[in-house]
Amino acid sequence: MTAELVCFERACRRRFPITEVIYECPSCGGLLEVEYPELHLDAGRLKRLWRERRTENAPIDRSGVWRYRELIPFLEDYGSVVTLGEGNTPLLDAPKAAEYAGLERLTFKHQGFNPTGSFKDNGMTCGVAQALRLGMRRVACVSTGNTSASMTAYAAAAGLEPIIFIPHGNISFGKLAQALEYGARTLQVEANFDEILALVRSLAGELGIYLLNSVNPFRIEGQKSIVIEMMDQRDWRAPDWIALPGGNLGNTAAFGKALRELSEHGFLEKMPRLAVIQAEGAAPFYEYMREEGRGGFRPVAHPETLATAIRIGDPVSWPKAAFEVRSSRGVVEKVSEQEIADAKAVIGRCGIGCEPASAATLAGIRKLRQAGVIAPDEDVVGVLTGHLLKDPDYVYRYHTGQLVTPAGVPVRGAFENRPVVVAKDPRRIAEILLAETLS
Ligand code: F0G
């Protein structure tokens, strides 16, 4: 199988060997993507094969990424694959969230069930496999938290040296704790995500590091499996909508590429529409798409949101994301801190839970439903990108009435659930419990 790196810019389209260590097109600076020019797939046969692999014990078949390797065939041999059992994340019915959004039915694909608790694992197993194939020893990323946790875990398992750059004071402790425990050389830089990414991209060559941000096209290849697995779990019935949060926009790029490739190779009968949701204080992609690209892409210099995972003002993958949203006849929406916080609590009350950025999905679906963009009987899958325990501090503040937006506005917890401190007094405990019931 031939795989090549291709410049994503339509006016350029220069091609490079798959083993070249580049993160952008050397001639025009465009994003790169992996292409398989001679790929011919038999959809019927693969659907059966992929289903059979679920029952195998070989780690590569059990992986919810590598099981679908015929659609991500950039390696010549699979000896360099390090898997932690990524993917295999459930599709969960969420009737309470459906009711909240005004839909008849809503399912969540919960990427928080991954080994490090976020969707980044789907991409990282591929990025690290490519690092090993290239003979790189040190891998690095700039991260709002999840990428660094994931990269460090896979690098540790692969025997590589992980280096992470994170915005000082603006990542959740759950994520930082993971990176420290898995053994990352950790630099907390006094700058925001966008500033650090620009800095590290310019230093990558000099430091001899292999960059595993989502600008790395092999990460995108792995994240395609989120959509492939979703369709497999739905017996290849495409939903009307797939909703996901947008930060650096790598996942949007990956979802769109997966949908196009699945459809091109005859796996899908219809194309779902993508709904990308951004936080109000970090919504440059929303603004760009609202103006249909007329004003050019204008980064937000000081992005702010309590959903720190998507606190990004200059998303690297916006050209790919714009293309994919348009190809899928998709939409982009933005939601407030209050909307994210309440949606998150509702997802919690479904017994599911997620981290703040993930809840932008439900908040956005609800807003699009209210605006009449999504119809009540449409088939919607919301992607929850990270686990509830990634950011316990946010959860505690919300439920105890202490959550305050970056602008200093208190978030009113409509679904607040305050713990009660009580003395060792059976009468008092009985009194409290007989007086109150949780709505
Ligand atoms: N949800 C979560 C939980 C994330 O961690 C991220 C991104 C996103 C959504 C947005 O995805 O960037 O592909 O549009 N987190 C990155 C990180 C930036 O460093 O962990 P995106």
Side-chain angles (χ1 to χ4, degrees), residues 119-120 142-147 193 245-251 309-310 312 355 357-358 385-386:
F119 72 96
K120 306 288 181 182
V142 181
S143 179
T144 55
N146 281 322
T147 301
F193 175 88
N248 215 16
L249 299 172
N251 222 17
I310 50 173
I312 295 174
E355 70 161 280
S358 312
T385 45

Side-chain angles (χ1 to χ4, degrees), residues 131-344:
L132 290 170
R133 169 210 222 168
L134 295 171
M136 307 299 288
R137 299 303 312 153
R138 312 172 99 189
V139 291
C141 68
V142 181
S143 179
T144 55
N146 281 322
T147 301
S148 53
S150 180
M151 188 198 79
T152 308
Y154 281 85
L160 297 173
E161 186 191 332
I163 304 168
I164 66 166
F165 301 86
I166 51 178
H168 184 43
N170 267 305
I171 88 164
S172 71
F173 270 118
K175 298 171 190 178
L176 178 56
Q178 287 181 292
L180 297 177
E181 188 86 350
Y182 299 138
R185 182 97 176 82
T186 302
L187 300 182
Q188 297 184 279
V189 186
E190 286 166 336
N192 71 27
F193 175 88
D194 308 301
E195 295 163 334
I196 309 171
L197 186 55
L199 193 96
V200 172
R201 276 178 84 167
S202 71
L203 276 175
E206 186 182 329
L207 298 178
I209 52 181
Y210 187 58
L211 201 55
L212 280 172
N213 275 91
S214 58
V215 69
N216 182 315
F218 300 95
R219 285 266 318 276
I220 303 296
E221 286 308 289
Q223 284 169 217
K224 290 188 323 196
S225 65
I226 301 168
V227 166
I228 305 170
E229 185 180 73
M230 177 197 301
M231 298 303 165
D232 186 2
Q233 288 166 315
R234 293 173 51 98
D235 296 321
W236 305 97
R237 276 176 293 102
D240 297 307
W241 292 93
I242 300 175
L244 74 161
N248 215 16
L249 299 172
N251 222 17
T252 306
F255 281 26
K257 188 169 192 275
L259 290 172
R260 283 189 290 110
E261 291 176 352
L262 285 172
S263 152
E264 196 177 302
H265 293 288
F267 287 86
L268 297 181
E269 280 171 7
K270 78 169 185 197
M271 188 77 167
R273 301 175 69 182
L274 291 176
V276 180
I277 320 299
Q278 295 210 288
E280 225 167 56
F285 186 54
Y286 166 82
E287 298 298 342
Y288 175 77
M289 296 300 276
R290 191 174 59 91
E291 296 171 359
E292 290 166 4
R294 280 187 296 271
F297 195 86
R298 291 193 303 273
V300 171
H302 302 289
E304 284 297 357
T305 171
L306 295 175
T308 49
I310 50 173
R311 188 172 178 269
I312 295 174
D314 192 6
V316 166
S317 293
W318 74 261
K320 286 185 177 177
F323 175 80
E324 302 301 356
V325 168
R326 288 183 186 124
S327 319
S328 79
R329 296 183 307 113
V331 297
V332 185
E333 187 52 278
K334 65 173 180 179
V335 290
S336 68
E337 296 297 311
Q338 182 73 52
E339 288 168 321
I340 293 174
D342 288 335
K344 184 171 130 54

Side-chain angles (χ1 to χ4, degrees), residues 7-62:
C7 175
F8 186 76
E9 287 303 320
R10 303 290 128 174
C12 177
R13 301 301 286 168
R14 267 191 68 187
R15 291 172 178 271
F16 308 92
I18 199 74
T19 47
E20 198 119 324
V21 185
I22 44 174
Y23 309 103
E24 57 190 27
C25 174
S27 53
C28 80
L31 295 165
L32 297 170
E33 71 174 352
V34 181
E35 241 186 43
Y36 311 103
E38 292 154 30
L39 193 62
H40 299 289
L41 301 178
D42 176 342
R45 187 187 72 84
L46 286 175
K47 286 178 185 179
R48 286 190 300 277
L49 177 66
W50 292 343
R51 192 58 65 92
E52 279 163 25
R53 283 183 184 156
R54 285 203 209 176
T55 61
E56 298 291 336
N57 283 327
I60 194 171
D61 289 339
R62 292 206 63 82

